[in-house]
Amino acid sequence: MSQSVAFTGKGASLSISTDGTTFTAVKQLQKITSSGQKSNFADITNLDSPSAFVETLPTTLDSGTLSSTCVANPSDPGQLMLLAAFQAQTKLTCKLQYPPVGTQTVGLLKKFSAYVSSAPMPSAAVSDASTFDLELKITGPVQDVAGS
């Protein structure tokens, strides 16, 4: 029987770039989640449809969103870049690097373009660290580069 393989997010990283060449890491991410990619469909049901079922036609693909909670650091270059990209509505090139799994020396790398869809605004509380929620709207395909 083969052994199960799994991994935690420890060691994962998100880097962003405005020129696609020079990347800046966004530091102090606590959790990264994705809405997942989905297909959009047009309803083509009509009076000639052969049954009582709705007929659909695939139209476009939506790469979804990438969300994260970050521990706020007002001097972190990556966090400052996110706010600047939001305010200028700049499309970013992003790299999401996963940690190695099993015998891999390098984990899976996902590359994509995205816009910052919610501005980083840190929370403030007496008994908690200041955090902010980040949301990137992915535009175009997500490329997977397998780890080795």
Side-chain angles (χ1 to χ4, degrees), residues 12-59:
S13 63
L14 175 67
S15 299
I16 56 177
S17 173
T18 55
D19 63 9
T21 321
T22 306
F23 285 84
T24 301
V26 179
K27 297 291 189 175
Q28 301 191 161
L29 301 176
Q30 286 187 319
K31 181 179 182 180
I32 300 171
T33 57
S34 171
S35 66
Q37 299 178 60
K38 68 175 193 160
S39 180
N40 294 308
F41 294 87
D43 182 348
I44 59 168
T45 309
N46 60 75
L47 296 175
D48 295 324
S49 293
S51 66
F53 289 96
V54 172
E55 290 184 287
T56 58
L57 175 71
T59 57

Side-chain angles (χ1 to χ4, degrees), residues 97-109:
Q97 179 70 61
Y98 289 90
V101 178
T103 60
Q104 291 178 327
T105 55
V106 178
L108 175 67
L109 172 66

Side-chain angles (χ1 to χ4, degrees), residues 10 25 35 39 53 60 70 84 101 107 111-112 116 148:
K10 187 172 176 65
S35 66
S39 180
F53 289 96
T60 57
C70 304
V101 178
K111 297 166 96 176
F112 54 91
V116 180
S148 57

Side-chain angles (χ1 to χ4, degrees), residues 43-102:
D43 182 348
I44 59 168
T45 309
N46 60 75
L47 296 175
D48 295 324
S49 293
S51 66
F53 289 96
V54 172
E55 290 184 287
T56 58
L57 175 71
T59 57
T60 57
L61 299 174
D62 184 344
S63 292
T65 59
L66 186 80
S67 301
S68 181
T69 300
C70 304
V71 176
N73 176 356
S75 63
D76 176 62
Q79 293 182 17
L80 292 170
M81 231 174 123
L82 290 169
L83 181 57
F86 173 80
Q87 291 173 340
Q89 297 183 321
T90 303
K91 182 165 47 171
L92 298 171
T93 302
C94 305
K95 293 196 293 189
L96 178 57
Q97 179 70 61
Y98 289 90
V101 178

